[in-house]
Amino acid sequence: MQILVTGGLGYIGSLTCIELIEAGFEPIIIDNLSNSKLQVLNRIEALTDVRPVFYQGDICDSAFMQSVFSAQKIESVIHFAGLKSVAESVSHPLEYYANNVNGTLVLLHAMRKANVKSLLFSSSATVYGDPKVVPITEKTPTGATTNPYGRSKYIIECMLSDLFQAQSDWSITILRYFNPVGAHPSGTMGEDPQGIPNNLMPYIAQVAVGRRDVLSVFGDDYATEDGTGVRDYIHVMDLVEGHLAALKTVSKKSGLHIYNLGTGQGSSVLQMIAAFSQASKKKINYKICPRRPGDIAQCWANTDKAARELNWKATRTLLDMATDTWHWQEKNPQGYV
Ligand code: NAD
Ligand code: UFG
């Protein structure tokens, strides 16, 4: 069964392709390489003995998208392609709306034309904004987003909901990721941020491997147990398994399905540093700095709905996340080269 994977050479998409192949699916990858490298295709092949069909192109290109659907027998789409830097979205909002919102529109048009009506979409906990109450359930209000990236995800969710209201034979699954971290256990595939990492885990990893001197801890005066920000970090392989679970269950049924994908547990910045020190046996230099504008104090998921309906639960620990990130970083200090 062919599954179109947009953004399939990126961090989460590429690892999803591994699991798809191992589960007997045939991923068809589209990526414009704006935030990934062709080398990833070799790594997928090395791990699975399968070189997936790959189209280098842009999801915003309508003729290109239609040509892919015409050439293949796609039954379902997992839509990862998008720009994801909060900071960049603030300085380049139009690029974010064009790529994320318009790209999704073009994809949906091409799907409709090809009569493909099953979609899994990568959304984000960012749609919940700064939640008044944690843990966050799927019923927690959305929309009070704090940056253009978050708004692009929220707008796409609204578009998908409107589409489903109009065409109830579609199966649309919105997966709201919390904080994906970690790497493939082989240490050959993982996150490869370009330039200075924005996110905590890749930054810690680059300090541990000696690429950066010191981690800035953004604030130690939040109303949390140790004063630093708390997030629901989820091992990327657990997250990937969540996609497979959704693909095998709800993506076969028409409906608008929405799930939080997290672990249900919050961890602080200092706890992450401690886990990484333990995994890497390295001291992580850090300094306490002012809060980062736009950051929330804490956020973690209630994951009961996914457990109940997808029969899926994250199982990997914080130490697993740190250990696998470290293996990837140690073996590939400059990422995919
Ligand atoms: P990533 O940047 O590693 O992967 C995205 C891939 O999409 C890249 O390979 C990029 O080249 C490609 N791409 C971007 N725009 C494209 C376009 N117009 N046409 C074709 N390809 C395009 O990001 P990721 O971490 O794997 O995230 C995947 C999805 O999950 C994104 O939509 C992201 O917003 C969402 N998400 C990620 C996180 C996270 O922390 N990583 C959290 C929540 C949601
Ligand atoms: N942090 C630091 N130092 C750093 C980087 C981060 O102290 O160098 C702290 C942050 O202040 C925060 C925590 O580490 O308390 C996590 O920060 P990340 O940047 O790793 O993650 P965020 O929760 O801010 O954002 C991530 C994604 C967003 C997504 C959001 C919710 O980057 O795209 O999760 O899914 F919207």
Side-chain angles (χ1 to χ4, degrees):
M1 178 174 163
Q2 289 190 344
I3 312 292
L4 179 68
V5 185
T6 73
L9 293 188
Y11 171 43
I12 305 168
S14 60
L15 295 170
T16 302
C17 288
I18 302 276
E19 293 291 302
L20 284 170
I21 293 167
E22 283 172 1
F25 294 99
E26 183 189 348
I28 308 288
I29 299 176
I30 289 181
D31 205 299
N32 67 358
L33 303 180
S34 60
N35 197 34
S36 53
K37 305 211 175 86
L38 206 48
Q39 163 84 297
V40 175
L41 211 52
N42 301 334
R43 303 277 173 110
I44 294 175
E45 188 177 8
L47 281 174
T48 62
D49 287 332
V50 172
R51 193 170 183 86
V53 173
F54 170 57
Y55 291 91
Q56 184 173 342
D58 200 300
I59 59 162
C60 299
D61 178 342
S62 176
F64 162 70
M65 291 302 287
Q66 285 178 31
S67 73
V68 173
F69 279 97
S70 300
Q72 303 293 339
K73 285 200 174 65
I74 290 156
E75 292 194 31
S76 205
V77 178
I78 311 184
H79 177 33
F80 294 103
L83 300 174
K84 64 165 182 176
S85 158
V86 171
E88 194 181 52
S89 79
V90 173
S91 56
H92 294 80
L94 298 186
E95 281 74 11
Y96 270 65
Y97 291 119
N99 197 73
N100 294 2
V101 178
N102 188 46
T104 304
L105 261 180
V106 171
L107 167 68
L108 292 170
H109 276 290
M111 287 177 69
R112 189 171 62 181
K113 200 156 187 213
N115 206 28
V116 176
K117 295 178 177 174
S118 169
L119 173 76
L120 272 69
F121 170 62
S122 301
S123 191
S124 164
T126 191
V127 298
Y128 296 115
D130 190 354
K132 289 201 175 60
V133 180
V134 281
I136 296 172
T137 74
E138 289 80 357
K139 291 195 173 128
T140 298
T142 56
T145 48
T146 54
N147 55 71
Y149 165 72
R151 273 187 283 283
S152 75
K153 291 290 178 191
Y154 177 67
I155 292 168
I156 295 167
E157 286 203 6
C158 294
M159 278 171 19
L160 294 175
S161 165
D162 289 341
L163 170 62
F164 178 70
Q165 296 311 319
Q167 298 191 11
S168 59
D169 57 339
W170 279 60
S171 172
I172 298 176
T173 307
I174 293 174
L175 301 174
R176 295 179 180 150
Y177 309 163
F178 280 65
N179 288 57
V181 296
H184 191 270
S186 65
T188 62
M189 294 180 67
E191 190 173 9
D192 182 19
Q194 308 302 303
I196 301 169
N198 294 309
N199 298 116
L200 179 64
M201 188 63 133
Y203 205 107
I204 295 180
Q206 292 193 7
V207 172
V209 85
R211 256 175 93 174
R212 317 230 165 249
D213 292 337
V214 58
L215 169 78
S216 299
V217 173
F218 297 137
D220 68 348
D221 56 352
Y222 286 107
T224 59
E225 210 170 297
D226 63 23
T228 64
V230 167
R231 297 290 184 276
D232 186 340
Y233 297 96
I234 174 170
H235 195 298
V236 65
M237 298 312 296
D238 276 326
L239 187 78
V240 163
E241 287 167 12
H243 288 68
L244 269 286
L247 189 66
K248 289 175 184 166
T249 55
V250 289
S251 86
K252 295 193 161 87
K253 298 179 209 147
S254 58
L256 178 68
H257 316 287
I258 303 179
Y259 299 99
N260 286 341
L261 295 186
T263 63
Q265 278 177 7
S267 305
S268 73
V269 176
L270 296 182
Q271 284 172 324
M272 286 298 275
I273 295 173
F276 209 90
S277 288
Q278 191 185 343
S280 63
K281 303 189 176 56
K282 302 262 180 201
K283 186 175 177 298
I284 311 295
N285 291 324
Y286 69 87
K287 59 176 187 214
I288 304 295
C289 296
R291 293 180 180 193
R292 184 170 64 177
D295 269 357
I296 59 175
Q298 56 183 5
C299 147
W300 67 89
N302 175 310
T303 58
D304 292 349
K305 190 174 176 217
R308 205 170 51 240
E309 296 182 13
L310 305 181
N311 196 21
W312 168 88
K313 223 174 167 8
T315 56
R316 294 161 178 90
T317 64
L318 212 56
L319 189 59
D320 296 331
M321 302 177 209
T323 301
D324 288 336
T325 303
W326 175 239
H327 282 156
W328 155 248
Q329 186 69 62
E330 202 183 16
K331 279 187 171 180
N332 304 270
Q334 304 300 325
Y336 293 109
V337 283

